[in-house]
């Protein structure tokens, strides 16, 4: 490496500012550093400053080495040490003054040497102390984090923070030495290592494309090392890891050293090192300390790359490549990242606040903001930060876009959409399953293809490498040899990827530790159907389990090394992607496949034809039967990858620029989609735009559209868009602006053949109807389509903006209509276009010259247009538990009809249930009951109360239906009462069939099924209970909680101060005489479950039955919210440490009973915390995230509470930190701590 001296037997030395002062190797700390200091920087006093975390680990070894070396050399040098609190709060004026006071007290003289041992906080702070003590003393940097090694310790920039921002007070003060000991990395937690990788990626991205490629190629190697037991501590045992770690550190240090040497005082070139920091620092100012510096810079890099793309400087492929590399190291790429939202407790970064923070960036020239703009991976637009307008930055940072109407009347443009999503996903699958290397060009860079690439990598299907500055993807396929993935395949809302990968996962083989692969996605993906494909795969021997709703993700696919083959039947009337999934994987079946499509005419036949044509180009020819309808014969074999493959532009996406020309009366050419296209949507211009009055010129390879004069598009009486269903949205917005050519004609366009659009990213037919209504356009849904009544350009203003349903095609199609609206239109969820055309807004801005303005979301959520409906409530439980009574109460309270399934079954079968059982048997009764349940679920999904029979849970199918219902947002309420009282009642009830089994045995058998099938539990006290409220009052409050009508937290937040009363009694009934007075004025009452005394407990832990009784009784005695607390022994309570399984059951009971608050200790094991928070998210219970320090080990003054606060912030709706005050000073420190949290 140029400029770097490396010796296999010694450290690497990197020159900076004319001196070889940066030394990099393993094992430097201790003897090497001591001897080098005494030899090269002799002094009578050395001051070692570190933080309280590192001091105990590293000071003793250094002190011993120092004393031994001084003794051998007969040197009387003195070593003094100081430990300060860790964390960003120490990078302050107060800490700076504290260090100065300490230096003075130790008689630290001007020829002394200060050693800064730590991460960026220590390096910046102590460097600034060195720069200002006696107008400057020598400093040595010993960075202990990856981020400090490759960035903050290099170059002499030192600073502290102020209330106005980060690093605003500081100095340039180069260190005499940088000792970079790579062994420090072995003690870093994974998150800190990943945090540092952001700066490594940044350096390669601005300076060296080859190093960036190395980061891409070695991401899996390094991440495996980060995640392995012992982390990087074991890297000495793996030469690949240790050598690559040294390479990336040396490489990053070398680049920074070169830049600093050329521009020490940040005159221009050194600004390049701030790529990602202009926006990243603004984000960090809001989200720190919960979100780390490197994580904020990672988001900043993606945003600044998107800014360069928006300005026409950087290609979409380069942006996607950068984002993929950042994601590969598990760094966030947006503020919507799940971990960012979780760690910051969903803290918002308002655009105005980000812009204001960026205004004080040191790179700026007055009010002119400067941002480092990439022109390619490894290159920047200028050798400095570039001027960028606020309006452009604002749009990139904004989640919404305000689209102003109008384009130039003389507009005549050429627009090349990104690669086809359909072809991109297929070619990735075929090339990954094939043998050899295939170089793919014009691949779509989008969320969907990124999910596919990541999943194929996890399955070991192929290796991927970007070439030609990210314009070409080289895929080296493994010939169908896949391995089950130990980590789940998260696919977002990528329907194509989910369906293709379902079959692909079945081709995988087992590993020593993994026998199956889990596929999952976001909330909408978990509703989109995949059932017909799953059923066909199951019928062919694949073992697939639906982990949530049957027929939807998430699913678990057992690794079976391929399908059995032979004849496979598939229902293909919902999605052609099911067909393509089976077709592409069929060659790897154990026998040749005959695929029969059944159930009616297959949907989207052109996409099936596309798949078979592409398979042929990879060497497998599918024969379509000439005798059997919709039947395909696929031979066994393997794909042979062609050397190159060019992806056509996406024909569905091409409809938007062509429609824009049509609706504005201008001209647009799409140069690479013509009559020979594989895609059905390529016919859009001919079959839709021409009949609407456009001039269309289509060659084999291009399409040009010229629109008629504005406002003169004509409707189409009827158009069958089954061959191009995705394009119906574009046709619909054009139909909205159409007008009848004569006063007697109709302005209505009827679009049919698009039924499958109801199960896309959203119900697109309903979505478009609702959003067009905001423009004053009337639409009517058809069974397989939509009718749109055109209004020409007489459109209303959607004052509240347009809701996009997180659907890329909804956003892009409605943005076309916005351009001819009389008023600017707010498009929300702007970034959802990244699914297929991340640069859509760039194209509107650059090519069509549309005026766009970035906006924050409205303060009130935009209505989606659909009337809100609450799902029906199903009530289950033992006969005699009170289902009918509670059902009647719920019906009266909600104003919903009540359906008693037993009564409905008797009406349906025209006989009583006892007679039905006697005449037909229990099995037939259960079949009829199941049939009725299915019908009710389908026909009465909203606004009903349904009371089920006691034995509804006896059949697995019924359990599956009920479990799926509550998993997907419905309420299944379990009603119970004291089982002894219940049995007494059942023994005298003669209105139902006699019990075959002992009633208690039936209860014990059914109980786990009841719990499995329900998500809420109401336990009623019997009529002679000692409570203060009536049973109806109890149930009314409980029902209001399940309907989220009594937001306890919102009520409490309105108060300036609030408090709760803690019940520390062994049994709730002991408080009967005093509770009413005790809780007067309180905002909540705490049930200390750990202090309850259950007479049936075997180990001191109360049973769930006992706790359920106590909660139910407490609810009858008070109406204020309940706090459910299990205080562990280590946190000052009585619950046994380590009784995690028991705690999990008790917490689950509390959540099911709709307890308003759970006090969850942050010292609990991570699986328990994650379990409770995940269950909380499904119900209404809020979490009080608590940490107690009864031993007084923590201090409010030194930052030691910060990690506990950050952890509580991730999980809690309320944060509760309990310390011990030994003096008034502790209370003052607590006040400052709380104030500092903002």
């Amino acid at each position: 490496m140029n400029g770097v001296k490396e010796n296999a037997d010694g450290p690497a030395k990197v020159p900076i500012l004319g001196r070889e002062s940066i030394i990099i190797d393993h094992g430097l700390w201790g003897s090497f550093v001591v001897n080098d200091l005494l030899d090269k920087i002799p002094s009578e006093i050395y001051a070692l400053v570190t933080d309280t975390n590192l001091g105990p680990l590293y000071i003793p070894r250094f002190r011993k080495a120092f004393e031994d070396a001084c003794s051998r050399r007969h040197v009387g040098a003195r070593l003094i040490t100081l430990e300060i609190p860790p964390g960003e709060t120490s990078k302050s004026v107060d800490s700076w003054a504290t260090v100065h006071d300490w230096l003075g007290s130790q008689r630290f003289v001007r020829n002394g040497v200060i050693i800064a041992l730590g991460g960026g906080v220590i390096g910046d702070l102590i460097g600034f102390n060195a720069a200002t003590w006696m107008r400057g003393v020598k400093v040595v940097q010993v960075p202990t984090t990856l981020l400090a090694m490759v960035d903050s310790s290099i170059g002499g920039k030192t600073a502290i923070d102020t209330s106005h921002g980060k690093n605003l007070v500081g100095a340039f003060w180069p260190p005499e030495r940088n000792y970079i000991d790579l062994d420090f990395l072995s003690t870093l937690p994974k998150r800190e290592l990943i945090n540092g990788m952001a700066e490594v990626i940044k350096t390669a991205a601005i300076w060296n494309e080859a190093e960036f490629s190395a980061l891409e190629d070695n991401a899996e190697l390094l991440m495996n090392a980060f995640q392995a037991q012992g982390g990087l501590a074991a890297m000495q045992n793996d030469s690949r890891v240790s050598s690559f770690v040294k390479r990336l550190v040396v490489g990053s240090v070398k680049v920074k050293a070169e830049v600093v040497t050329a521009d020490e005082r940040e005159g221009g070139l050194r600004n390049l090192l701030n790529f990602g920091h202009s926006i990243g620092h603004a984000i960090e100012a809001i989200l720190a300390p919960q979100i780390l510096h490197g994580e904020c810079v990672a988001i900043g890099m993606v945003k600044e790359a998107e800014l360069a793309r928006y300005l026409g400087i950087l290609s979409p492929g380069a942006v996607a490549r950068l984002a993929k590399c950042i994601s590969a190291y598990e760094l966030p790429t947006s503020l919507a990242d799940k971990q960012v939202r979780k760690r910051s407790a969903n803290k918002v970064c308002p655009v105005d606040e980000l812009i204001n923070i960026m205004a004080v960036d040191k790179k700026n020239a007055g009010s002119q903001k400067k941002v480092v703009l990439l022109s390619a991976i490894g290159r920047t637009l200028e050798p400095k930060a570039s001027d960028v307008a606020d309006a452009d930055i604002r749009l990139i940072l904004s989640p919404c876009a305000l689209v102003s109407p109008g384009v130039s009347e003389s507009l005549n443009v050429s627009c090349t959409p990104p690669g086809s999503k359909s072809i991109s996903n297929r070619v990735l699958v075929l090339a990954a399953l094939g043998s050899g290397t295939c170089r793919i060009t014009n691949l779509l860079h989008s969320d969907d293809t990124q999910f596919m690439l990541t999943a194929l990598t996890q399955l070991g299907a192929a290796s991927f490498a970007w070439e030609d500055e990210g314009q070409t993807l080289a895929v080296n396929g493994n010939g169908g040899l896949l391995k089950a993935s130990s980590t789940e395949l998260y696919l977002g809302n990528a329907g194509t990827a989910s369906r293709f990968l379902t079959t692909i996962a079945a081709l995988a083989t087992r590993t020593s530790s993994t026998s199956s692969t889990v596929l999952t996605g976001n909330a909408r993906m978990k509703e989109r159907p995949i059932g017909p494909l799953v059923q066909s795969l199951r019928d062919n021997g694949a073992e697939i389990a639906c982990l949530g709703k049957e027929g939807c993700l998430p699913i678990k696919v057992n690794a079976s090394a391929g399908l059995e083959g032979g004849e496979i039947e598939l229902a293909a009337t919902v999605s052609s992607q099911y067909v393509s999934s089976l077709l592409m994987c069929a060659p790897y079946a154990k026998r040749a496949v005959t695929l029969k499509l059944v159930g009616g005419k297959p949907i989207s036949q052109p996409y099936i034809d596309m798949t078979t044509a592409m398979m042929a180009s990879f060497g497998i020819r599918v024969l379509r039967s000439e005798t059997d309808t919709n039947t395909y014969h696929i031979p066994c074999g393997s794909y042979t990858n062609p050397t190159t493959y060019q992806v056509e532009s996406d024909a569905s996406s091409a409809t938007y620029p062509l429609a824009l020309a049509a609706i504005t009366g201008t001209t647009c050419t799409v140069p690479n989609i013509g009559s020979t296209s594989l895609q059905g949507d390529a016919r859009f211009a001919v079959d839709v735009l021409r009949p609407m009055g456009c001039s269309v010129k289509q060659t084999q390879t291009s399409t040009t559209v010229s629109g008629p004069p504005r406002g003169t598009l004509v409707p189409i009486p009827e158009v069958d868009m089954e061959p191009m269903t995705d394009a119906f949205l574009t046709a619909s917005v054009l139909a909205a602006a159409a007008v009848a050519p004569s006063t007697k004609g109709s302005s209505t366009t009827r679009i049919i053949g698009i039924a499958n659009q109801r199960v896309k990213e959203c119900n697109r037919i309903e979505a478009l109807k609702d959003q067009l209504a905001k423009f004053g356009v009337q639409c009517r849904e058809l069974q397989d389509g939509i009718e749109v009544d055109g209004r020409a350009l007489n459109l209303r203003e959607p004052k509240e903006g347009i809701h996009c349903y997180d659907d890329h095609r909804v956003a892009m199609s409605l943005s076309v209509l916005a351009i001819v609206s009389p008023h600017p239109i707010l498009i929300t969820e702007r970034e959802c276009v990244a699914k297929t055309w991340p640069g859509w807004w760039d194209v509107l801005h650059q090519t069509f010259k549309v005026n766009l303005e970035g906006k924050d979301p409205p303060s009130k959520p935009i209505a989606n247009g659909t009337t809100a409906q609450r799902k029906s409530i199903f009530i289950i439980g033992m006969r005699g538990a009170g289902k009918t009574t509670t059902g009647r109460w719920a019906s009266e309270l909600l104003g919903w009809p009540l359906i008693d399934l037993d009564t409905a079954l008797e009406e349906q079968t025209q006989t009583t249930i006892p007679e039905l059982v006697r005449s037909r048997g229990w099995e037939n009764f259960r079949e009829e009951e199941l049939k009725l349940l299915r019908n009710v679920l389908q026909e009465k999904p909203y606004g009903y109360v349904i009371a089920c029979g006691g034995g509804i849970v006896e059949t697995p199918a019924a359990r599956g239906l009920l479990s799926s219902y509550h998993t997907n947002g419905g309420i299944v309420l379990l009603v119970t009462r004291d089982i002894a009282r219940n049995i007494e009642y059942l023994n005298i009830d003669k209105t139902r069939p006699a019990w075959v089994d002992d009633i208690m045995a039936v209860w014990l058998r059914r109980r786990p099924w009841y719990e499995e099938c329900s998500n809420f539990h109401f336990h009623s006290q019997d009529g002679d209970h000692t409570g203060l409220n009536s049973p109806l009052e109890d149930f009314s409050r409980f029902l209001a909680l399940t309907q989220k009508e009594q937001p306890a937290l919102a009520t409490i937040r309105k108060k300036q101060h609030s408090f709760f009363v803690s019940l520390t009694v062994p049994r709730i009934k002991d408080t009967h005489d005093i509770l009413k007075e005790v809780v007067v004025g309180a905002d909540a009452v705490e049930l200390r479950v750990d202090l309850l005394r259950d007479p049936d407990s075997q180990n001191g832990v109360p049973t769930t039955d006992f706790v359920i009784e106590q909660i139910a009784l407490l609810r009858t005695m008070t109406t204020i919210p309940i706090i459910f607390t299990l205080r562990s022994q280590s946190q000052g309570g009585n619950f046994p440490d380590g009784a995690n399984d028991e705690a999990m059951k008790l917490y689950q009971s509390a959540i099911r009973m709709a307890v308003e608050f759970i006090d969850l200790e942050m010292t609990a094991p991570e699986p328990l915390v994650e379990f409770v928070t995940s269950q909380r998210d499904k119900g209404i219970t809020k979490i009080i995230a608590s940490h107690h320090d009864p031993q007084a080990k923590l201090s409010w003054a030194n930052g030691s509470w910060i990690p506990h606060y950050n952890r509580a912030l991730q999980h809690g709706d309320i944060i509760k930190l309990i310390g011990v005050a030994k003096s008034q000073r502790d209370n003052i420190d607590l006040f400052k701590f709380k104030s500092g949290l903002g």
Side-chain angles (χ1 to χ4, degrees), residues 564-676:
E564 291 299 321
E567 186 173 299
I568 300 177
E569 289 190 348
L570 172 68
T573 56
V574 174
S575 175
S576 64
Q577 292 168 359
Y578 303 158
V579 185
S580 294
S581 179
L582 280 170
L583 283 171
M584 289 190 292
C585 294
Y588 296 89
K590 295 162 188 175
R591 293 180 291 148
V593 171
T594 295
L595 178 60
K596 292 187 173 184
L597 308 183
V598 299
K601 180 184 176 183
I603 192 77
S604 303
Q605 182 66 44
Y607 286 95
I608 300 174
D609 297 339
M610 174 197 294
T611 301
T612 58
M614 292 181 66
M615 290 171 66
S617 66
F618 281 76
I620 296 292
R621 298 196 174 276
V622 177
L623 298 179
R624 187 171 183 178
S625 176
E626 297 180 358
T627 57
D628 297 326
T629 305
N630 299 323
T631 299
Y632 297 84
H633 302 285
I634 307 101
C636 290
S638 59
Y639 297 118
T640 301
N641 286 344
T643 305
T644 61
Y645 193 99
Q646 183 173 16
V647 177
E648 285 183 15
S649 284
D650 188 71
S652 298
S653 295
T655 64
Y656 309 121
L658 295 177
L660 204 154
I663 206 169
T664 59
T666 58
T667 298
C668 177
T669 297
V670 174
N672 60 347
I673 295 179
S675 58
T676 58

Side-chain angles (χ1 to χ4, degrees), residues 95 250 289 513 564 814 948 1071 1158 1206:
S95 296
V250 170
S513 59
E564 291 299 321
L814 289 171
C948 302
T1071 67
I1158 281 180
N1206 287 343

Side-chain angles (χ1 to χ4, degrees), residues 1127-1141:
R1127 182 70 60 236
S1128 66
Q1129 292 171 346
S1130 61
Q1131 288 276 285
N1134 195 54
F1135 198 80
D1137 294 324
N1140 301 319
D1141 291 342

Side-chain angles (χ1 to χ4, degrees), residues 153-219:
S153 72
I154 310 297
K157 283 170 65 172
T158 70
I160 55 176
D161 302 335
T162 75
S163 59
H164 298 287
K166 287 176 58 64
N167 301 327
L168 293 183
V169 179
F172 290 98
W173 194 250
E176 295 293 312
R177 274 282 196 274
N178 281 78
Y179 297 108
I180 299 178
D181 186 347
L182 301 175
D183 284 354
F184 283 127
L185 299 179
S186 64
T187 62
L188 286 182
K190 175 186 170 184
R191 188 181 177 197
E192 283 291 346
L193 289 166
I194 291 171
N195 183 47
M197 286 305 301
E199 295 288 351
V200 177
I201 295 169
K202 172 211 72 178
T203 303
I206 62 170
W207 202 260
N208 192 320
E209 199 267 346
E211 286 300 304
F212 191 89
S213 295
L215 286 170
E216 293 173 307
D217 295 341
N218 289 279

Side-chain angles (χ1 to χ4, degrees), residues 1127 1131 1159-1166 1169 1173 1183-1188 1203-1212 1215-1217:
R1127 182 70 60 236
Q1131 288 276 285
D1159 184 311
L1160 180 62
E1161 296 177 350
M1162 293 295 96
T1163 54
E1166 191 63 27
V1169 173
T1173 53
I1183 288 180
I1184 300 173
S1186 69
H1187 185 88
H1188 295 68
H1204 305 290
Y1205 170 80
N1206 287 343
R1207 179 165 168 78
L1209 185 66
Q1210 290 183 40
H1211 299 286
I1215 297 174
K1216 176 185 173 188
L1217 305 177

Side-chain angles (χ1 to χ4, degrees), residues 966-967 1011-1012 1014-1016 1044 1143-1155 1158 1160 1167-1183 1211 1213:
H966 77 69
T967 299
E1011 292 173 352
E1012 169 195 337
S1014 60
N1015 53 342
F1016 284 102
K1044 302 182 180 179
M1144 192 174 293
K1145 292 175 183 176
L1146 292 172
Y1147 282 132
Q1148 188 169 33
S1149 295
I1151 292 170
R1152 287 166 50 80
M1153 294 187 75
V1155 165
I1158 281 180
L1160 180 62
L1168 179 58
V1169 173
E1170 290 294 340
F1171 171 80
V1172 176
T1173 53
S1174 67
Q1175 294 298 307
R1176 175 273 311 266
D1177 294 340
K1178 299 174 184 177
I1180 57 92
T1181 301
K1182 300 300 182 184
I1183 288 180
H1211 299 286
D1213 302 289

